[in-house]
Amino acid sequence: MPFIKIELTKEHITREQKQQLIKGITDLFTTILNKDPHLTHVVIQEVELDDWGYAGEQVSILRENGITADKK
Amino acid sequence: MPFIKIELTKEHITREQKQQLIKGITDLFTTILNKDPHLTHVVIQEVELDDWGYAGEQVSILRENGITADKK
Amino acid sequence: MPFIKIELTKEHITREQKQQLIKGITDLFTTILNKDPHLTHVVIQEVELDDWGYAGEQVSILRENGITADKK
Amino acid sequence: MPFIKIELTKEHITREQKQQLIKGITDLFTTILNKDPHLTHVVIQEVELDDWGYAGEQVSILRENGITADKK
Amino acid sequence: MPFIKIELTKEHITREQKQQLIKGITDLFTTILNKDPHLTHVVIQEVELDDWGYAGEQVSILRENGITADKK
Amino acid sequence: MPFIKIELTKEHITREQKQQLIKGITDLFTTILNKDPHLTHVVIQEVELDDWGYAGEQVSILRENGITADKK
């Protein structure tokens, strides 16, 4: 019975990317723990940039200053 | 001091139904555990169908295919 | 697809009381929203009294001072 | 590695107040626990008044009846 | 900035399996969303079987009756 | 009605430090948002190092390799 909750900043994630995350995470629980996917729920919550703080700063301000969360 | 968080798919729940859930759950904590209702908080979070995955599929796709969460 | 998370202070709740909460809450979702119980999950998390703060005080200290969460 | 999640009723909180909360909380973890702020995340989630229940009542109804959460 | 919280029933998951989940999920966020892994946190919370309810029953009781969450 | 949930790695935090966090955070909500402290709850959840992943690695492994979360 896994329940997985994802919180991430709201930055242009598409419906297809959400589906890929849901499928990929559910598959991990089947592969690694042999969990029945009918008992696995995944919930995605996008958070506005004003509502996420990192290192004491709103992410909206970090983004205005050109700081991203992208992999280099 | 109970705090109860409800996450459910966003599917036409009314204000009155929310109030019934809040009242019903708060009453359970008073009846079963003798909790002072002034220390019981209930929070409801509705989740868009694209953002909830079940069995590896977005619920929005399940609904398009006629699969509901209704009791039979 | 409801997922319900309960957080409450760890204060002598029995296995039977937990079962009553689980049954009672699941039934509310069936009665009020017609939800299939096979899609309803309820998780209970008991929190040590040192780890819950209310009005700026640890509940462990409130309890030492005779302040309870009981219904009067 | 602290992750702090704030849930509060949606009642006219400004962008600046959010920034003050984020900065203030992050600083507490640095001051009290010597945590590197680059590992501290703070997320704020505002909850509609219909979706928060207190003492068995929707906060929207409490507010209509003149009951606030303000400090006296 | 993703934060991923996993809740699952406490059933003999090993340290290595936890590491596989953490690595697998973090990689998904890098592959699908190009997220810097240094901003991705994954938290696993195992829940006692008495504390997880499914379909109105404690999972501990379901397990005693031979009902598992294994993939068939 | 704020509810604040703190998740952090379990690393020798004392009862007094927890009380300082609870007091400090509750005061911030009173100072910044004028919230009645009797409606503010703070919950602390310590997470075992095997159960927290950062950058795709268990924190227990990071700590074995001498990588801390301390402010430099």
Side-chain angles (χ1 to χ4, degrees):
Chain A
M1 270 98 176
F3 179 82
I4 300 99
K5 176 74 178 277
I6 299 163
E7 292 174 86
L8 81 174
T9 43
K10 190 178 178 71
E11 301 180 87
H12 310 301
I13 173 171
T14 66
R15 192 191 188 199
E16 286 68 30
Q17 288 172 320
K18 289 178 182 177
Q19 172 56 27
Q20 289 173 28
L21 285 172
I22 287 166
K23 183 71 168 62
I25 290 173
T26 305
D27 284 354
L28 284 173
F29 280 87
T30 305
T31 308
I32 299 170
L33 297 178
N34 194 36
K35 290 287 186 190
D36 182 350
H38 290 89
L39 294 168
T40 300
H41 295 258
V42 179
V43 169
I44 300 168
Q45 181 174 352
E46 294 180 275
V47 176
E48 297 290 339
L49 302 193
D50 277 356
D51 294 337
W52 195 299
Y54 171 67
E57 283 281 10
Q58 274 170 314
V59 172
S60 55
I61 294 176
L62 295 175
R63 293 292 179 270
E64 288 165 16
N65 292 335
I67 302 168
T68 75
D70 290 348
K71 189 168 187 303
K72 310 296 182 278
Chain B
M1 270 96 176
F3 179 81
I4 299 99
K5 176 73 178 279
I6 298 164
E7 292 174 86
L8 81 172
T9 43
K10 190 178 179 73
E11 302 180 85
H12 310 300
I13 174 172
T14 66
R15 191 190 189 200
E16 287 67 31
Q17 288 172 320
K18 290 178 181 177
Q19 173 56 26
Q20 289 172 27
L21 285 173
I22 287 166
K23 183 71 168 62
I25 290 173
T26 305
D27 284 353
L28 284 174
F29 281 87
T30 305
T31 308
I32 298 171
L33 296 179
N34 195 35
K35 291 288 184 188
D36 182 350
H38 291 90
L39 294 169
T40 299
H41 294 258
V42 179
V43 169
I44 299 169
Q45 182 174 350
E46 293 179 277
V47 176
E48 296 290 341
L49 302 194
D50 277 355
D51 293 338
W52 194 299
Y54 171 66
E57 284 280 10
Q58 274 170 314
V59 173
S60 54
I61 293 176
L62 295 176
R63 293 292 179 271
E64 287 166 16
N65 293 334
I67 302 168
T68 75
D70 290 348
K71 189 168 186 306
K72 312 295 180 281
Chain C
M1 269 97 175
F3 179 82
I4 300 100
K5 176 75 178 278
I6 298 164
E7 292 176 84
L8 80 174
T9 43
K10 190 179 178 72
E11 301 180 86
H12 310 301
I13 173 172
T14 66
R15 191 189 188 201
E16 286 67 31
Q17 288 172 321
K18 289 178 182 177
Q19 173 56 27
Q20 289 172 28
L21 285 172
I22 287 167
K23 183 70 169 63
I25 289 173
T26 304
D27 284 353
L28 284 173
F29 281 87
T30 305
T31 308
I32 299 170
L33 296 179
N34 194 37
K35 290 287 185 188
D36 182 349
H38 290 90
L39 294 167
T40 300
H41 294 258
V42 179
V43 169
I44 299 169
Q45 181 173 351
E46 294 179 276
V47 176
E48 297 289 341
L49 302 193
D50 277 356
D51 293 338
W52 195 300
Y54 171 67
E57 284 279 10
Q58 274 171 313
V59 173
S60 55
I61 293 176
L62 295 175
R63 293 293 180 268
E64 287 165 17
N65 293 336
I67 301 168
T68 75
D70 290 347
K71 188 167 187 304
K72 310 296 180 281
Chain D
M1 269 96 176
F3 179 82
I4 299 98
K5 175 74 179 278
I6 299 164
E7 292 174 86
L8 80 173
T9 44
K10 191 177 178 72
E11 302 179 86
H12 310 301
I13 173 172
T14 66
R15 190 189 189 199
E16 287 67 31
Q17 288 172 320
K18 289 178 182 177
Q19 172 56 25
Q20 289 173 28
L21 285 172
I22 287 166
K23 184 70 168 62
I25 290 173
T26 305
D27 284 354
L28 284 173
F29 281 86
T30 304
T31 309
I32 298 170
L33 297 178
N34 195 36
K35 290 289 184 188
D36 182 349
H38 290 90
L39 294 168
T40 300
H41 294 257
V42 179
V43 169
I44 299 169
Q45 181 173 351
E46 294 178 276
V47 176
E48 297 290 340
L49 302 193
D50 278 355
D51 293 337
W52 195 299
Y54 171 66
E57 283 280 9
Q58 274 171 314
V59 172
S60 55
I61 294 176
L62 296 174
R63 294 291 179 271
E64 287 165 17
N65 292 334
I67 301 168
T68 76
D70 290 349
K71 188 169 187 306
K72 311 295 182 281
Chain E
M1 269 94 175
F3 179 81
I4 300 99
K5 176 73 178 281
I6 299 164
E7 292 175 84
L8 81 172
T9 43
K10 190 178 179 72
E11 303 180 85
H12 310 299
I13 173 172
T14 66
R15 191 190 189 199
E16 286 68 31
Q17 288 172 322
K18 289 178 181 176
Q19 172 56 25
Q20 289 173 27
L21 285 173
I22 287 166
K23 183 71 167 63
I25 290 173
T26 305
D27 284 355
L28 284 174
F29 281 87
T30 305
T31 308
I32 298 170
L33 297 178
N34 194 36
K35 290 289 185 187
D36 182 351
H38 291 89
L39 294 168
T40 300
H41 294 258
V42 180
V43 170
I44 299 169
Q45 181 173 352
E46 293 179 275
V47 175
E48 297 290 341
L49 302 194
D50 277 356
D51 293 338
W52 194 299
Y54 171 66
E57 285 279 10
Q58 274 170 314
V59 173
S60 54
I61 294 176
L62 296 175
R63 293 292 179 269
E64 287 165 16
N65 293 335
I67 302 168
T68 75
D70 290 347
K71 189 170 186 304
K72 311 299 180 278
Chain F
M1 269 97 177
F3 178 82
I4 299 100
K5 176 74 178 279
I6 299 164
E7 292 174 85
L8 81 173
T9 43
K10 190 177 179 72
E11 302 181 86
H12 309 300
I13 174 171
T14 66
R15 191 190 188 198
E16 286 68 31
Q17 287 172 321
K18 289 178 182 177
Q19 172 57 26
Q20 289 173 28
L21 285 173
I22 287 166
K23 184 70 167 63
I25 290 173
T26 304
D27 284 354
L28 284 174
F29 281 87
T30 305
T31 308
I32 299 170
L33 297 179
N34 194 35
K35 291 286 185 188
D36 182 350
H38 291 89
L39 294 169
T40 299
H41 295 257
V42 180
V43 169
I44 300 169
Q45 181 174 352
E46 294 179 276
V47 177
E48 297 289 341
L49 302 193
D50 277 356
D51 293 338
W52 195 299
Y54 171 66
E57 284 279 9
Q58 274 170 314
V59 172
S60 54
I61 293 175
L62 296 174
R63 294 292 179 269
E64 287 165 16
N65 293 335
I67 302 168
T68 76
D70 290 348
K71 190 170 187 303
K72 312 297 182 279

